[in-house]
Amino acid sequence: MPGDDASARHPVLETTVEEIDSTLLGGGRTHSARELAERAGIGLDFVTMFWTTLGLPHADPDDQYFSENDADAVERAASLVRDHGLDLTTVITLTRALGHTSDRLALWQVEALVEDMASRYELDDATARLLVLDRLADLAPVLEAQLVHSYRRQLAAIAGRYAAEFGEIGRTGEEPGALPLARAVGFADMVSFTRRTAGLGSTDLSHFVQRFEAAARDVVTAGGGRVVKTIGDAVLFVADTPQSGALVALGLAERLGRELDVTSAQGTGGLAEGARGVTPVRVGLVWGRVLSRFGDVFGPSVNLAARLTDIADPSSVLTDVATAAALRGDPRFSLVEQPPRELQGLGSVTPVQLLATPPDVYR
C-alpha cells in the first residue's frame, strides 16, 4: 500500500500500487474517518467499528485514508440501522461476514493468478507477483462481476431452499426448542495427509491440495450437497435429505479413493511424481437437526459425524443407527451394523457402515 517501506524503496512499484489503489477504490484517498462520520450523520465509533469489523482498521481518525467509495460503503452500513431497522449487532455480523469472506476470496484469487503467471511464463515467484500487480486493474472488473453474479445466484438458491422448507413446517412434528434445520451432515477426512505430503515442494503441495478440494467440491455438488468449509485436510458438507447426503458420502469415498494416473496427470500439467495418488478419505455422515450460523453448522449431529469420521476405515463411510433407519428401504444403499464403539465426548455409539448397492442388484 502507499507509504509501505518496500514500495518506497522501489519508485516504479510505488507508482504501480498507487495506480491500482486508485482504480480499485474508485479514486484517491481523500477522506478521513471523522469526515466519513460527519457525512453519514453517525458517530465516529460506528465508522471505526465498521472498518475494524471488516478487517481493515486504521488508527488515526484524521488521516486521509478513505476514498469516495469507502464513504458510500459506510453510509450503506449506517442505512441498514437507520432505514432498514437492523440491530447494530446484526450489522456487525453482516460486516464481519463480508470481511472474512472477501479477505479469503481476494487472497485465494490473487494466489491463483500468481501461480498461473509463474506456470505460463516460467517465472520465479517474485516476478509472477509483479506481473499480477501489473494486470490486476484490468482483471478486477471481470472478477468483481463474477463475484456479484455468484453471490446473487447463491442468494437465489438459499431462497429456493427456504421456500421448500416452509412447506414442511408443522408436518415433521419436531420438538419445541429443536434446532431449526434438518440436514445430512458429513465430514471427509484425508488419510495420512502428513505422510503423503511430506517432502513436497510448494508447487506439488499446491496441486495436491487443489486437486483434493476441487474433486471434493465436484462430488458434493453433483450429489446435491453443499460444501460448508474445508478444514485443512478435511471437508465438511451438508445435504437436504438423508439420501442425497448418502450419495455424496459414498461418492467422496469412491472418487477420492481412486489412484491417480501419474503419467496422464504429468502430461496435462497435473501432479508431479512426488504427489502421486489421490488420497483416500474416511467419511462420517449423520442426519439430524443443525443450527446454521456464520457460514458454518453446529449441533450434536455435526459432532457425531466428526467422531464417526475418526474411526472409519479408508475409503469407507460410517453413519449412526438413526441415519441408517432413515436410509433403510432405499435399494441404492446397504447398511451393515458394526460393534459398539466408545467415542470421545459421546459415549457408546453403534456405527453402521454405509455401502452402495450394485445397480444390477436392485434394478
PDB file of all heavy atoms in Angstrom, residues 55-90:
ATOM      1  N   GLY A  55     -12.091  -5.862   8.942  1.00  0.00           N
ATOM      2  CA  GLY A  55     -10.723  -6.376   8.940  1.00  0.00           C
ATOM      3  C   GLY A  55      -9.723  -5.391   8.383  1.00  0.00           C
ATOM      4  O   GLY A  55      -8.594  -5.759   8.043  1.00  0.00           O
ATOM      5  N   LEU A  56     -10.111  -4.100   8.283  1.00  0.00           N
ATOM      6  CA  LEU A  56      -9.249  -3.071   7.712  1.00  0.00           C
ATOM      7  C   LEU A  56      -9.189  -1.847   8.633  1.00  0.00           C
ATOM      8  O   LEU A  56      -9.563  -0.739   8.239  1.00  0.00           O
ATOM      9  CB  LEU A  56      -9.774  -2.652   6.331  1.00  0.00           C
ATOM     10  CG  LEU A  56      -9.849  -3.762   5.280  1.00  0.00           C
ATOM     11  CD1 LEU A  56     -10.686  -3.307   4.094  1.00  0.00           C
ATOM     12  CD2 LEU A  56      -8.447  -4.163   4.835  1.00  0.00           C
ATOM     13  N   PRO A  57      -8.739  -2.014   9.868  1.00  0.00           N
ATOM     14  CA  PRO A  57      -8.727  -0.883  10.806  1.00  0.00           C
ATOM     15  C   PRO A  57      -7.673   0.149  10.434  1.00  0.00           C
ATOM     16  O   PRO A  57      -6.672  -0.164   9.794  1.00  0.00           O
ATOM     17  CB  PRO A  57      -8.389  -1.548  12.146  1.00  0.00           C
ATOM     18  CG  PRO A  57      -7.589  -2.749  11.760  1.00  0.00           C
ATOM     19  CD  PRO A  57      -8.170  -3.233  10.459  1.00  0.00           C
ATOM     20  N   HIS A  58      -7.929   1.404  10.843  1.00  0.00           N
ATOM     21  CA  HIS A  58      -6.941   2.477  10.665  1.00  0.00           C
ATOM     22  C   HIS A  58      -7.008   3.368  11.896  1.00  0.00           C
ATOM     23  O   HIS A  58      -8.079   3.840  12.274  1.00  0.00           O
ATOM     24  CB  HIS A  58      -7.230   3.288   9.405  1.00  0.00           C
ATOM     25  CG  HIS A  58      -6.133   4.253   9.075  1.00  0.00           C
ATOM     26  ND1 HIS A  58      -4.897   3.837   8.641  1.00  0.00           N
ATOM     27  CD2 HIS A  58      -6.086   5.607   9.138  1.00  0.00           C
ATOM     28  CE1 HIS A  58      -4.135   4.897   8.423  1.00  0.00           C
ATOM     29  NE2 HIS A  58      -4.830   5.982   8.724  1.00  0.00           N
ATOM     30  N   ALA A  59      -5.852   3.579  12.498  1.00  0.00           N
ATOM     31  CA  ALA A  59      -5.823   4.173  13.837  1.00  0.00           C
ATOM     32  C   ALA A  59      -6.163   5.659  13.874  1.00  0.00           C
ATOM     33  O   ALA A  59      -6.913   6.107  14.746  1.00  0.00           O
ATOM     34  CB  ALA A  59      -4.447   3.940  14.465  1.00  0.00           C
ATOM     35  N   ASP A  60      -5.645   6.438  12.953  1.00  0.00           N
ATOM     36  CA  ASP A  60      -5.767   7.896  13.045  1.00  0.00           C
ATOM     37  C   ASP A  60      -7.075   8.364  12.399  1.00  0.00           C
ATOM     38  O   ASP A  60      -7.248   8.267  11.187  1.00  0.00           O
ATOM     39  CB  ASP A  60      -4.581   8.548  12.336  1.00  0.00           C
ATOM     40  CG  ASP A  60      -4.511  10.046  12.589  1.00  0.00           C
ATOM     41  OD1 ASP A  60      -5.549  10.627  12.986  1.00  0.00           O
ATOM     42  OD2 ASP A  60      -3.437  10.629  12.381  1.00  0.00           O
ATOM     43  N   PRO A  61      -8.021   8.880  13.198  1.00  0.00           N
ATOM     44  CA  PRO A  61      -9.322   9.286  12.644  1.00  0.00           C
ATOM     45  C   PRO A  61      -9.244  10.515  11.754  1.00  0.00           C
ATOM     46  O   PRO A  61     -10.207  10.828  11.044  1.00  0.00           O
ATOM     47  CB  PRO A  61     -10.164   9.569  13.889  1.00  0.00           C
ATOM     48  CG  PRO A  61      -9.174   9.922  14.948  1.00  0.00           C
ATOM     49  CD  PRO A  61      -7.964   9.102  14.653  1.00  0.00           C
ATOM     50  N   ASP A  62      -8.120  11.230  11.758  1.00  0.00           N
ATOM     51  CA  ASP A  62      -7.990  12.436  10.936  1.00  0.00           C
ATOM     52  C   ASP A  62      -7.085  12.227   9.717  1.00  0.00           C
ATOM     53  O   ASP A  62      -6.857  13.154   8.948  1.00  0.00           O
ATOM     54  CB  ASP A  62      -7.433  13.578  11.788  1.00  0.00           C
ATOM     55  CG  ASP A  62      -8.401  13.977  12.901  1.00  0.00           C
ATOM     56  OD1 ASP A  62      -9.586  14.220  12.590  1.00  0.00           O
ATOM     57  OD2 ASP A  62      -7.978  14.015  14.067  1.00  0.00           O
ATOM     58  N   ASP A  63      -6.604  11.015   9.548  1.00  0.00           N
ATOM     59  CA  ASP A  63      -5.757  10.701   8.395  1.00  0.00           C
ATOM     60  C   ASP A  63      -6.630  10.496   7.156  1.00  0.00           C
ATOM     61  O   ASP A  63      -7.656   9.817   7.215  1.00  0.00           O
ATOM     62  CB  ASP A  63      -4.959   9.424   8.700  1.00  0.00           C
ATOM     63  CG  ASP A  63      -3.870   9.170   7.672  1.00  0.00           C
ATOM     64  OD1 ASP A  63      -3.656  10.052   6.811  1.00  0.00           O
ATOM     65  OD2 ASP A  63      -3.251   8.099   7.719  1.00  0.00           O
ATOM     66  N   GLN A  64      -6.238  11.081   6.049  1.00  0.00           N
ATOM     67  CA  GLN A  64      -6.996  10.914   4.803  1.00  0.00           C
ATOM     68  C   GLN A  64      -6.657   9.560   4.199  1.00  0.00           C
ATOM     69  O   GLN A  64      -5.775   9.418   3.359  1.00  0.00           O
ATOM     70  CB  GLN A  64      -6.676  12.058   3.833  1.00  0.00           C
ATOM     71  CG  GLN A  64      -7.242  13.396   4.275  1.00  0.00           C
ATOM     72  CD  GLN A  64      -7.086  14.463   3.200  1.00  0.00           C
ATOM     73  OE1 GLN A  64      -6.118  14.467   2.475  1.00  0.00           O
ATOM     74  NE2 GLN A  64      -8.051  15.369   3.138  1.00  0.00           N
ATOM     75  N   TYR A  65      -7.429   8.571   4.631  1.00  0.00           N
ATOM     76  CA  TYR A  65      -7.145   7.170   4.315  1.00  0.00           C
ATOM     77  C   TYR A  65      -8.246   6.552   3.448  1.00  0.00           C
ATOM     78  O   TYR A  65      -8.062   5.484   2.888  1.00  0.00           O
ATOM     79  CB  TYR A  65      -7.008   6.394   5.625  1.00  0.00           C
ATOM     80  CG  TYR A  65      -6.649   4.938   5.489  1.00  0.00           C
ATOM     81  CD1 TYR A  65      -5.348   4.553   5.166  1.00  0.00           C
ATOM     82  CD2 TYR A  65      -7.608   3.941   5.704  1.00  0.00           C
ATOM     83  CE1 TYR A  65      -5.015   3.210   5.055  1.00  0.00           C
ATOM     84  CE2 TYR A  65      -7.277   2.601   5.589  1.00  0.00           C
ATOM     85  CZ  TYR A  65      -5.984   2.237   5.264  1.00  0.00           C
ATOM     86  OH  TYR A  65      -5.654   0.901   5.148  1.00  0.00           O
ATOM     87  N   PHE A  66      -9.385   7.235   3.323  1.00  0.00           N
ATOM     88  CA  PHE A  66     -10.556   6.626   2.714  1.00  0.00           C
ATOM     89  C   PHE A  66     -10.952   7.333   1.415  1.00  0.00           C
ATOM     90  O   PHE A  66     -10.770   8.538   1.263  1.00  0.00           O
ATOM     91  CB  PHE A  66     -11.731   6.648   3.697  1.00  0.00           C
ATOM     92  CG  PHE A  66     -11.419   5.939   4.985  1.00  0.00           C
ATOM     93  CD1 PHE A  66     -11.080   6.662   6.118  1.00  0.00           C
ATOM     94  CD2 PHE A  66     -11.437   4.562   5.050  1.00  0.00           C
ATOM     95  CE1 PHE A  66     -10.780   6.019   7.316  1.00  0.00           C
ATOM     96  CE2 PHE A  66     -11.135   3.898   6.233  1.00  0.00           C
ATOM     97  CZ  PHE A  66     -10.804   4.628   7.367  1.00  0.00           C
ATOM     98  N   SER A  67     -11.518   6.531   0.502  1.00  0.00           N
ATOM     99  CA  SER A  67     -11.936   7.038  -0.804  1.00  0.00           C
ATOM    100  C   SER A  67     -13.425   7.377  -0.798  1.00  0.00           C
ATOM    101  O   SER A  67     -14.147   7.133   0.179  1.00  0.00           O
ATOM    102  CB  SER A  67     -11.659   5.992  -1.877  1.00  0.00           C
ATOM    103  OG  SER A  67     -12.549   4.891  -1.718  1.00  0.00           O
ATOM    104  N   GLU A  68     -13.902   7.908  -1.920  1.00  0.00           N
ATOM    105  CA  GLU A  68     -15.328   8.199  -2.081  1.00  0.00           C
ATOM    106  C   GLU A  68     -16.146   6.913  -1.975  1.00  0.00           C
ATOM    107  O   GLU A  68     -17.226   6.900  -1.369  1.00  0.00           O
ATOM    108  CB  GLU A  68     -15.559   8.874  -3.433  1.00  0.00           C
ATOM    109  CG  GLU A  68     -16.982   9.351  -3.660  1.00  0.00           C
ATOM    110  CD  GLU A  68     -17.371  10.532  -2.776  1.00  0.00           C
ATOM    111  OE1 GLU A  68     -16.472  11.187  -2.211  1.00  0.00           O
ATOM    112  OE2 GLU A  68     -18.579  10.784  -2.636  1.00  0.00           O
ATOM    113  N   ASN A  69     -15.646   5.823  -2.557  1.00  0.00           N
ATOM    114  CA  ASN A  69     -16.356   4.544  -2.450  1.00  0.00           C
ATOM    115  C   ASN A  69     -16.415   4.055  -1.008  1.00  0.00           C
ATOM    116  O   ASN A  69     -17.402   3.453  -0.584  1.00  0.00           O
ATOM    117  CB  ASN A  69     -15.673   3.488  -3.323  1.00  0.00           C
ATOM    118  CG  ASN A  69     -15.970   3.663  -4.800  1.00  0.00           C
ATOM    119  OD1 ASN A  69     -16.738   4.545  -5.187  1.00  0.00           O
ATOM    120  ND2 ASN A  69     -15.357   2.834  -5.631  1.00  0.00           N
ATOM    121  N   ASP A  70     -15.364   4.322  -0.243  1.00  0.00           N
ATOM    122  CA  ASP A  70     -15.372   3.962   1.175  1.00  0.00           C
ATOM    123  C   ASP A  70     -16.462   4.728   1.924  1.00  0.00           C
ATOM    124  O   ASP A  70     -17.156   4.167   2.782  1.00  0.00           O
ATOM    125  CB  ASP A  70     -14.008   4.270   1.801  1.00  0.00           C
ATOM    126  CG  ASP A  70     -12.897   3.387   1.272  1.00  0.00           C
ATOM    127  OD1 ASP A  70     -13.193   2.261   0.836  1.00  0.00           O
ATOM    128  OD2 ASP A  70     -11.736   3.828   1.285  1.00  0.00           O
ATOM    129  N   ALA A  71     -16.595   6.005   1.591  1.00  0.00           N
ATOM    130  CA  ALA A  71     -17.639   6.819   2.228  1.00  0.00           C
ATOM    131  C   ALA A  71     -19.022   6.258   1.914  1.00  0.00           C
ATOM    132  O   ALA A  71     -19.895   6.189   2.792  1.00  0.00           O
ATOM    133  CB  ALA A  71     -17.532   8.271   1.756  1.00  0.00           C
ATOM    134  N   ASP A  72     -19.236   5.840   0.669  1.00  0.00           N
ATOM    135  CA  ASP A  72     -20.527   5.249   0.289  1.00  0.00           C
ATOM    136  C   ASP A  72     -20.788   3.958   1.061  1.00  0.00           C
ATOM    137  O   ASP A  72     -21.927   3.694   1.479  1.00  0.00           O
ATOM    138  CB  ASP A  72     -20.548   4.961  -1.215  1.00  0.00           C
ATOM    139  CG  ASP A  72     -20.551   6.229  -2.058  1.00  0.00           C
ATOM    140  OD1 ASP A  72     -20.899   7.296  -1.518  1.00  0.00           O
ATOM    141  OD2 ASP A  72     -20.200   6.142  -3.255  1.00  0.00           O
ATOM    142  N   ALA A  73     -19.745   3.159   1.266  1.00  0.00           N
ATOM    143  CA  ALA A  73     -19.907   1.894   1.978  1.00  0.00           C
ATOM    144  C   ALA A  73     -20.325   2.125   3.427  1.00  0.00           C
ATOM    145  O   ALA A  73     -21.188   1.420   3.966  1.00  0.00           O
ATOM    146  CB  ALA A  73     -18.608   1.089   1.932  1.00  0.00           C
ATOM    147  N   VAL A  74     -19.723   3.122   4.065  1.00  0.00           N
ATOM    148  CA  VAL A  74     -20.091   3.443   5.452  1.00  0.00           C
ATOM    149  C   VAL A  74     -21.538   3.930   5.512  1.00  0.00           C
ATOM    150  O   VAL A  74     -22.295   3.563   6.414  1.00  0.00           O
ATOM    151  CB  VAL A  74     -19.126   4.499   6.028  1.00  0.00           C
ATOM    152  CG1 VAL A  74     -19.645   5.026   7.362  1.00  0.00           C
ATOM    153  CG2 VAL A  74     -17.737   3.898   6.206  1.00  0.00           C
ATOM    154  N   GLU A  75     -21.938   4.754   4.553  1.00  0.00           N
ATOM    155  CA  GLU A  75     -23.324   5.237   4.525  1.00  0.00           C
ATOM    156  C   GLU A  75     -24.307   4.084   4.339  1.00  0.00           C
ATOM    157  O   GLU A  75     -25.376   4.060   4.957  1.00  0.00           O
ATOM    158  CB  GLU A  75     -23.493   6.267   3.409  1.00  0.00           C
ATOM    159  CG  GLU A  75     -22.820   7.606   3.702  1.00  0.00           C
ATOM    160  CD  GLU A  75     -23.275   8.698   2.742  1.00  0.00           C
ATOM    161  OE1 GLU A  75     -24.436   8.671   2.291  1.00  0.00           O
ATOM    162  OE2 GLU A  75     -22.452   9.575   2.436  1.00  0.00           O
ATOM    163  N   ARG A  76     -23.951   3.109   3.489  1.00  0.00           N
ATOM    164  CA  ARG A  76     -24.839   1.954   3.310  1.00  0.00           C
ATOM    165  C   ARG A  76     -24.949   1.153   4.604  1.00  0.00           C
ATOM    166  O   ARG A  76     -26.044   0.679   4.960  1.00  0.00           O
ATOM    167  CB  ARG A  76     -24.326   1.075   2.174  1.00  0.00           C
ATOM    168  CG  ARG A  76     -24.554   1.648   0.786  1.00  0.00           C
ATOM    169  CD  ARG A  76     -24.298   0.608  -0.294  1.00  0.00           C
ATOM    170  NE  ARG A  76     -22.911   0.170  -0.322  1.00  0.00           N
ATOM    171  CZ  ARG A  76     -21.975   0.741  -1.065  1.00  0.00           C
ATOM    172  NH1 ARG A  76     -22.287   1.778  -1.847  1.00  0.00           N
ATOM    173  NH2 ARG A  76     -20.737   0.278  -1.059  1.00  0.00           N
ATOM    174  N   ALA A  77     -23.835   0.991   5.295  1.00  0.00           N
ATOM    175  CA  ALA A  77     -23.877   0.263   6.567  1.00  0.00           C
ATOM    176  C   ALA A  77     -24.758   0.989   7.578  1.00  0.00           C
ATOM    177  O   ALA A  77     -25.561   0.375   8.293  1.00  0.00           O
ATOM    178  CB  ALA A  77     -22.460   0.094   7.118  1.00  0.00           C
ATOM    179  N   ALA A  78     -24.636   2.312   7.627  1.00  0.00           N
ATOM    180  CA  ALA A  78     -25.474   3.094   8.542  1.00  0.00           C
ATOM    181  C   ALA A  78     -26.943   3.001   8.171  1.00  0.00           C
ATOM    182  O   ALA A  78     -27.828   2.970   9.041  1.00  0.00           O
ATOM    183  CB  ALA A  78     -25.017   4.551   8.538  1.00  0.00           C
ATOM    184  N   SER A  79     -27.232   2.916   6.865  1.00  0.00           N
ATOM    185  CA  SER A  79     -28.631   2.844   6.422  1.00  0.00           C
ATOM    186  C   SER A  79     -29.298   1.537   6.834  1.00  0.00           C
ATOM    187  O   SER A  79     -30.520   1.475   6.967  1.00  0.00           O
ATOM    188  CB  SER A  79     -28.712   3.010   4.905  1.00  0.00           C
ATOM    189  OG  SER A  79     -28.309   1.825   4.230  1.00  0.00           O
ATOM    190  N   LEU A  80     -28.501   0.486   7.042  1.00  0.00           N
ATOM    191  CA  LEU A  80     -29.083  -0.776   7.488  1.00  0.00           C
ATOM    192  C   LEU A  80     -29.734  -0.615   8.859  1.00  0.00           C
ATOM    193  O   LEU A  80     -30.749  -1.252   9.156  1.00  0.00           O
ATOM    194  CB  LEU A  80     -28.000  -1.859   7.550  1.00  0.00           C
ATOM    195  CG  LEU A  80     -27.438  -2.327   6.204  1.00  0.00           C
ATOM    196  CD1 LEU A  80     -26.265  -3.282   6.418  1.00  0.00           C
ATOM    197  CD2 LEU A  80     -28.513  -2.992   5.358  1.00  0.00           C
ATOM    198  N   VAL A  81     -29.142   0.244   9.689  1.00  0.00           N
ATOM    199  CA  VAL A  81     -29.730   0.533  11.001  1.00  0.00           C
ATOM    200  C   VAL A  81     -30.808   1.596  10.878  1.00  0.00           C
ATOM    201  O   VAL A  81     -31.936   1.432  11.365  1.00  0.00           O
ATOM    202  CB  VAL A  81     -28.636   0.998  11.987  1.00  0.00           C
ATOM    203  CG1 VAL A  81     -29.254   1.382  13.329  1.00  0.00           C
ATOM    204  CG2 VAL A  81     -27.575  -0.087  12.162  1.00  0.00           C
ATOM    205  N   ARG A  82     -30.494   2.688  10.201  1.00  0.00           N
ATOM    206  CA  ARG A  82     -31.373   3.857  10.149  1.00  0.00           C
ATOM    207  C   ARG A  82     -32.623   3.620   9.298  1.00  0.00           C
ATOM    208  O   ARG A  82     -33.733   3.976   9.694  1.00  0.00           O
ATOM    209  CB  ARG A  82     -30.573   5.036   9.609  1.00  0.00           C
ATOM    210  CG  ARG A  82     -31.329   6.352   9.601  1.00  0.00           C
ATOM    211  CD  ARG A  82     -30.390   7.488   9.252  1.00  0.00           C
ATOM    212  NE  ARG A  82     -29.624   7.202   8.039  1.00  0.00           N
ATOM    213  CZ  ARG A  82     -28.303   7.348   7.932  1.00  0.00           C
ATOM    214  NH1 ARG A  82     -27.587   7.762   8.960  1.00  0.00           N
ATOM    215  NH2 ARG A  82     -27.683   7.082   6.791  1.00  0.00           N
ATOM    216  N   ASP A  83     -32.453   3.002   8.131  1.00  0.00           N
ATOM    217  CA  ASP A  83     -33.564   2.886   7.184  1.00  0.00           C
ATOM    218  C   ASP A  83     -34.220   1.508   7.172  1.00  0.00           C
ATOM    219  O   ASP A  83     -35.403   1.384   6.839  1.00  0.00           O
ATOM    220  CB  ASP A  83     -33.078   3.202   5.754  1.00  0.00           C
ATOM    221  CG  ASP A  83     -32.474   4.589   5.654  1.00  0.00           C
ATOM    222  OD1 ASP A  83     -32.904   5.466   6.424  1.00  0.00           O
ATOM    223  OD2 ASP A  83     -31.568   4.789   4.817  1.00  0.00           O
ATOM    224  N   HIS A  84     -33.429   0.469   7.514  1.00  0.00           N
ATOM    225  CA  HIS A  84     -33.975  -0.886   7.442  1.00  0.00           C
ATOM    226  C   HIS A  84     -34.253  -1.488   8.811  1.00  0.00           C
ATOM    227  O   HIS A  84     -34.778  -2.599   8.900  1.00  0.00           O
ATOM    228  CB  HIS A  84     -33.021  -1.797   6.656  1.00  0.00           C
ATOM    229  CG  HIS A  84     -32.825  -1.370   5.228  1.00  0.00           C
ATOM    230  ND1 HIS A  84     -33.684  -1.749   4.214  1.00  0.00           N
ATOM    231  CD2 HIS A  84     -31.895  -0.579   4.651  1.00  0.00           C
ATOM    232  CE1 HIS A  84     -33.279  -1.221   3.066  1.00  0.00           C
ATOM    233  NE2 HIS A  84     -32.198  -0.499   3.308  1.00  0.00           N
ATOM    234  N   GLY A  85     -33.896  -0.782   9.874  1.00  0.00           N
ATOM    235  CA  GLY A  85     -34.252  -1.211  11.219  1.00  0.00           C
ATOM    236  C   GLY A  85     -33.444  -2.363  11.778  1.00  0.00           C
ATOM    237  O   GLY A  85     -33.855  -2.986  12.766  1.00  0.00           O
ATOM    238  N   LEU A  86     -32.291  -2.675  11.161  1.00  0.00           N
ATOM    239  CA  LEU A  86     -31.484  -3.769  11.679  1.00  0.00           C
ATOM    240  C   LEU A  86     -30.796  -3.359  12.973  1.00  0.00           C
ATOM    241  O   LEU A  86     -30.445  -2.199  13.160  1.00  0.00           O
ATOM    242  CB  LEU A  86     -30.419  -4.189  10.659  1.00  0.00           C
ATOM    243  CG  LEU A  86     -30.820  -5.272   9.646  1.00  0.00           C
ATOM    244  CD1 LEU A  86     -31.980  -4.794   8.769  1.00  0.00           C
ATOM    245  CD2 LEU A  86     -29.631  -5.678   8.790  1.00  0.00           C
ATOM    246  N   ASP A  87     -30.628  -4.331  13.848  1.00  0.00           N
ATOM    247  CA  ASP A  87     -29.906  -4.105  15.089  1.00  0.00           C
ATOM    248  C   ASP A  87     -28.418  -3.930  14.777  1.00  0.00           C
ATOM    249  O   ASP A  87     -27.893  -4.521  13.832  1.00  0.00           O
ATOM    250  CB  ASP A  87     -30.115  -5.305  16.015  1.00  0.00           C
ATOM    251  CG  ASP A  87     -29.470  -5.093  17.374  1.00  0.00           C
ATOM    252  OD1 ASP A  87     -30.057  -4.383  18.203  1.00  0.00           O
ATOM    253  OD2 ASP A  87     -28.368  -5.645  17.587  1.00  0.00           O
ATOM    254  N   LEU A  88     -27.735  -3.106  15.575  1.00  0.00           N
ATOM    255  CA  LEU A  88     -26.314  -2.865  15.350  1.00  0.00           C
ATOM    256  C   LEU A  88     -25.511  -4.160  15.403  1.00  0.00           C
ATOM    257  O   LEU A  88     -24.571  -4.354  14.626  1.00  0.00           O
ATOM    258  CB  LEU A  88     -25.776  -1.876  16.388  1.00  0.00           C
ATOM    259  CG  LEU A  88     -24.285  -1.522  16.276  1.00  0.00           C
ATOM    260  CD1 LEU A  88     -23.967  -0.916  14.913  1.00  0.00           C
ATOM    261  CD2 LEU A  88     -23.879  -0.577  17.389  1.00  0.00           C
ATOM    262  N   THR A  89     -25.890  -5.070  16.298  1.00  0.00           N
ATOM    263  CA  THR A  89     -25.195  -6.353  16.391  1.00  0.00           C
ATOM    264  C   THR A  89     -25.307  -7.126  15.087  1.00  0.00           C
ATOM    265  O   THR A  89     -24.347  -7.782  14.648  1.00  0.00           O
ATOM    266  CB  THR A  89     -25.767  -7.191  17.548  1.00  0.00           C
ATOM    267  OG1 THR A  89     -25.645  -6.458  18.770  1.00  0.00           O
ATOM    268  CG2 THR A  89     -25.038  -8.518  17.672  1.00  0.00           C
ATOM    269  N   THR A  90     -26.479  -7.033  14.453  1.00  0.00           N
ATOM    270  CA  THR A  90     -26.675  -7.717  13.172  1.00  0.00           C
ATOM    271  C   THR A  90     -25.793  -7.103  12.086  1.00  0.00           C
ATOM    272  O   THR A  90     -25.202  -7.815  11.269  1.00  0.00           O
ATOM    273  CB  THR A  90     -28.148  -7.645  12.752  1.00  0.00           C
ATOM    274  OG1 THR A  90     -28.962  -8.229  13.779  1.00  0.00           O
ATOM    275  CG2 THR A  90     -28.381  -8.375  11.436  1.00  0.00           C
TER     276      THR A  90
END
